[in-house]
PDB file of all heavy atoms in Angstrom:
ATOM      1  N   ILE Y  67       2.824  15.716  20.038  1.00 95.00           N
ATOM      2  CA  ILE Y  67       2.220  15.547  18.721  1.00 95.00           C
ATOM      3  C   ILE Y  67       2.559  16.800  17.926  1.00 95.00           C
ATOM      4  O   ILE Y  67       2.201  17.905  18.331  1.00 95.00           O
ATOM      5  CB  ILE Y  67       0.688  15.394  18.816  1.00 95.00           C
ATOM      6  CG1 ILE Y  67       0.301  14.210  19.699  1.00 95.00           C
ATOM      7  CG2 ILE Y  67       0.080  15.244  17.425  1.00 95.00           C
ATOM      8  CD1 ILE Y  67      -1.182  14.107  19.983  1.00 95.00           C
ATOM      9  N   ASP Y  68       3.246  16.636  16.792  1.00 95.00           N
ATOM     10  CA  ASP Y  68       3.595  17.826  16.007  1.00 95.00           C
ATOM     11  C   ASP Y  68       2.350  18.402  15.328  1.00 95.00           C
ATOM     12  O   ASP Y  68       1.313  17.742  15.229  1.00 95.00           O
ATOM     13  CB  ASP Y  68       4.706  17.522  14.994  1.00 95.00           C
ATOM     14  CG  ASP Y  68       4.269  16.566  13.906  1.00 95.00           C
ATOM     15  OD1 ASP Y  68       3.418  16.939  13.079  1.00 95.00           O
ATOM     16  OD2 ASP Y  68       4.784  15.425  13.872  1.00 95.00           O
ATOM     17  N   LYS Y  69       2.471  19.613  14.876  1.00 95.00           N
ATOM     18  CA  LYS Y  69       1.331  20.360  14.339  1.00 95.00           C
ATOM     19  C   LYS Y  69       0.669  19.642  13.165  1.00 95.00           C
ATOM     20  O   LYS Y  69      -0.558  19.503  13.124  1.00 95.00           O
ATOM     21  CB  LYS Y  69       1.790  21.767  13.918  1.00 95.00           C
ATOM     22  CG  LYS Y  69       0.673  22.657  13.432  1.00 95.00           C
ATOM     23  CD  LYS Y  69       1.197  24.040  13.117  1.00 95.00           C
ATOM     24  CE  LYS Y  69       0.087  24.962  12.670  1.00 95.00           C
ATOM     25  NZ  LYS Y  69       0.555  26.345  12.467  1.00 95.00           N
ATOM     26  N   ASP Y  70       1.460  19.175  12.206  1.00 95.00           N
ATOM     27  CA  ASP Y  70       0.879  18.508  11.037  1.00 95.00           C
ATOM     28  C   ASP Y  70       0.126  17.243  11.426  1.00 95.00           C
ATOM     29  O   ASP Y  70      -0.966  16.982  10.930  1.00 95.00           O
ATOM     30  CB  ASP Y  70       1.972  18.184  10.010  1.00 95.00           C
ATOM     31  CG  ASP Y  70       2.529  19.429   9.342  1.00 95.00           C
ATOM     32  OD1 ASP Y  70       1.865  20.493   9.368  1.00 95.00           O
ATOM     33  OD2 ASP Y  70       3.636  19.345   8.782  1.00 95.00           O
ATOM     34  N   THR Y  71       0.711  16.462  12.324  1.00 94.00           N
ATOM     35  CA  THR Y  71       0.060  15.237  12.786  1.00 94.00           C
ATOM     36  C   THR Y  71      -1.220  15.571  13.532  1.00 94.00           C
ATOM     37  O   THR Y  71      -2.256  14.919  13.343  1.00 94.00           O
ATOM     38  CB  THR Y  71       1.010  14.415  13.681  1.00 94.00           C
ATOM     39  OG1 THR Y  71       2.178  14.090  12.919  1.00 94.00           O
ATOM     40  CG2 THR Y  71       0.346  13.152  14.190  1.00 94.00           C
ATOM     41  N   PHE Y  72      -1.162  16.588  14.384  1.00 93.00           N
ATOM     42  CA  PHE Y  72      -2.342  16.984  15.142  1.00 93.00           C
ATOM     43  C   PHE Y  72      -3.494  17.349  14.208  1.00 93.00           C
ATOM     44  O   PHE Y  72      -4.622  16.868  14.370  1.00 93.00           O
ATOM     45  CB  PHE Y  72      -2.026  18.162  16.062  1.00 93.00           C
ATOM     46  CG  PHE Y  72      -3.252  18.672  16.759  1.00 93.00           C
ATOM     47  CD1 PHE Y  72      -3.730  18.042  17.892  1.00 93.00           C
ATOM     48  CD2 PHE Y  72      -3.949  19.754  16.247  1.00 93.00           C
ATOM     49  CE1 PHE Y  72      -4.892  18.481  18.511  1.00 93.00           C
ATOM     50  CE2 PHE Y  72      -5.109  20.204  16.860  1.00 93.00           C
ATOM     51  CZ  PHE Y  72      -5.573  19.565  17.998  1.00 93.00           C
ATOM     52  N   TYR Y  73      -3.229  18.207  13.212  1.00 90.00           N
ATOM     53  CA  TYR Y  73      -4.305  18.631  12.324  1.00 90.00           C
ATOM     54  C   TYR Y  73      -4.776  17.501  11.421  1.00 90.00           C
ATOM     55  O   TYR Y  73      -5.957  17.445  11.054  1.00 90.00           O
ATOM     56  CB  TYR Y  73      -3.919  19.898  11.565  1.00 90.00           C
ATOM     57  CG  TYR Y  73      -3.997  21.108  12.466  1.00 90.00           C
ATOM     58  CD1 TYR Y  73      -2.865  21.826  12.816  1.00 90.00           C
ATOM     59  CD2 TYR Y  73      -5.206  21.511  13.018  1.00 90.00           C
ATOM     60  CE1 TYR Y  73      -2.937  22.921  13.678  1.00 90.00           C
ATOM     61  CE2 TYR Y  73      -5.293  22.597  13.880  1.00 90.00           C
ATOM     62  CZ  TYR Y  73      -4.146  23.297  14.193  1.00 90.00           C
ATOM     63  OH  TYR Y  73      -4.227  24.373  15.054  1.00 90.00           O
ATOM     64  N   ALA Y  74      -3.887  16.565  11.080  1.00 92.00           N
ATOM     65  CA  ALA Y  74      -4.314  15.384  10.329  1.00 92.00           C
ATOM     66  C   ALA Y  74      -5.258  14.541  11.174  1.00 92.00           C
ATOM     67  O   ALA Y  74      -6.301  14.068  10.688  1.00 92.00           O
ATOM     68  CB  ALA Y  74      -3.100  14.568   9.888  1.00 92.00           C
ATOM     69  N   MET Y  75      -4.918  14.345  12.447  1.00 91.00           N
ATOM     70  CA  MET Y  75      -5.778  13.584  13.357  1.00 91.00           C
ATOM     71  C   MET Y  75      -7.125  14.277  13.527  1.00 91.00           C
ATOM     72  O   MET Y  75      -8.181  13.624  13.550  1.00 91.00           O
ATOM     73  CB  MET Y  75      -5.094  13.433  14.721  1.00 91.00           C
ATOM     74  CG  MET Y  75      -3.899  12.523  14.716  1.00 91.00           C
ATOM     75  SD  MET Y  75      -2.939  12.604  16.251  1.00 91.00           S
ATOM     76  CE  MET Y  75      -4.134  12.010  17.447  1.00 91.00           C
ATOM     77  N   GLN Y  76      -7.100  15.589  13.640  1.00 89.00           N
ATOM     78  CA  GLN Y  76      -8.332  16.355  13.807  1.00 89.00           C
ATOM     79  C   GLN Y  76      -9.215  16.216  12.560  1.00 89.00           C
ATOM     80  O   GLN Y  76     -10.430  16.050  12.672  1.00 89.00           O
ATOM     81  CB  GLN Y  76      -7.989  17.821  14.081  1.00 89.00           C
ATOM     82  CG  GLN Y  76      -9.143  18.629  14.584  1.00 89.00           C
ATOM     83  CD  GLN Y  76      -8.715  20.021  15.028  1.00 89.00           C
ATOM     84  OE1 GLN Y  76      -7.838  20.635  14.441  1.00 89.00           O
ATOM     85  NE2 GLN Y  76      -9.339  20.508  16.067  1.00 89.00           N
ATOM     86  N   SER Y  77      -8.596  16.250  11.390  1.00 91.00           N
ATOM     87  CA  SER Y  77      -9.345  16.092  10.140  1.00 91.00           C
ATOM     88  C   SER Y  77      -9.948  14.702  10.025  1.00 91.00           C
ATOM     89  O   SER Y  77     -11.106  14.547   9.616  1.00 91.00           O
ATOM     90  CB  SER Y  77      -8.421  16.361   8.943  1.00 91.00           C
ATOM     91  OG  SER Y  77      -7.961  17.685   8.973  1.00 91.00           O
TER      92      SER Y  77
END
Side-chain angles (χ1 to χ4, degrees):
I67 302 172
D68 67 68
K69 184 177 182 175
D70 290 340
T71 301
F72 175 81
Y73 285 114
M75 290 169 63
Q76 194 172 36
S77 297

